Amino acid sequence: MEKGESVISVALTAVLVLVVLGIQRRWTSSTFRDMASSAEDFVLKTTGLKSQIPDIPGYEKVRTYRLGHYRAALYRASPSPLVFASYRFVIYNRDAQSVFKINSVEASAQPWTQLYDFAGRHGLPKPRSRGRAIYTQDLTGDGIPDILLGQYSGGDHCCTTVTVIELDENSVKTLGRIDGLDGLPFEGLEIRRLDSQRGEELIAHRPYRTVCGVHADAADVLSVYAYQNGKFTDQTARFTDFLRRVLQENLSKWKRTKDRSLHLLQTVTTDYSRVGEAATGDQFFKDNLNLFAAQLKARDVDPQACIQDMANLVNTLSSGVSHD
């Protein structure tokens, strides 16, 4: 029996004892009401019943979370359809009042909405791990816990949105959203400390596909979201040093013949554009595309069309298009 359940059991036992004593000693009804009221207050204050997660008519609780001063739950419509169902994610304060709510349509059997587990692997609990999940972390450096809510749309190779939510003791606030991530939460998200004076940064990995190949060949384009002026926004241009390190790492991979792929070629090309060297990336792409001539031919892809589409992508990235 858990501690809360034990306290409730003791309190209820106390109430029963009061009833018996009241009968035996013939206490007045007013005396008994006062005693029962005190016992009820004891139960509420000791067990925190006011902070229990409420039920919602027409829904069943699928997951529940403890988030410091708050509680949260993911609900699914009940009875749920065979394939897709309506879901509702709600955060409650200590008085069981809803302070954040978002609706979605997800798979009935396995919901897609997730909270980032900072003790897990890539945001998800480690398989067969006995460790406790950690859902809150100070991402901004201001001492206030934050959570990351991931929601998948269910589309083919698309799309996940991550919402950054601040859990101040007296308020809940959305700090930003990162959309267009690939796959289930949180495959396209990386958390790294790039600026030690500004908390942690959120790095979005987005696949950009061209006519050159299939989804697996798409370039992995990075965007860096940093906290500034009360929000997480795309500030990739500020982190050129980090992007140069990524470029050098990918160029090192390219030197190993076994690691060369159309995916890596397109990624390196876009890496060059992210550090302001689009012309160098364009030449790198043209010089090495012939390595995949047989692959392009098998897919009936014109190499010139591939080169042109890659140039269009680089121009789009160089123009500073934001995903805010």
Side-chain angles (χ1 to χ4, degrees), residues 104-122:
S104 62
V105 177
E106 307 179 20
S108 297
Q110 184 64 37
W112 298 321
T113 293
Q114 298 275 357
L115 279 188
Y116 194 97
D117 180 3
F118 293 95
R121 179 178 301 148
H122 305 302

Side-chain angles (χ1 to χ4, degrees), residues 220-232:
D220 179 17
V221 180
L222 306 185
S223 297
V224 181
Y225 287 74
Y227 183 70
Q228 190 175 57
N229 299 325
K231 288 187 175 183
F232 274 94

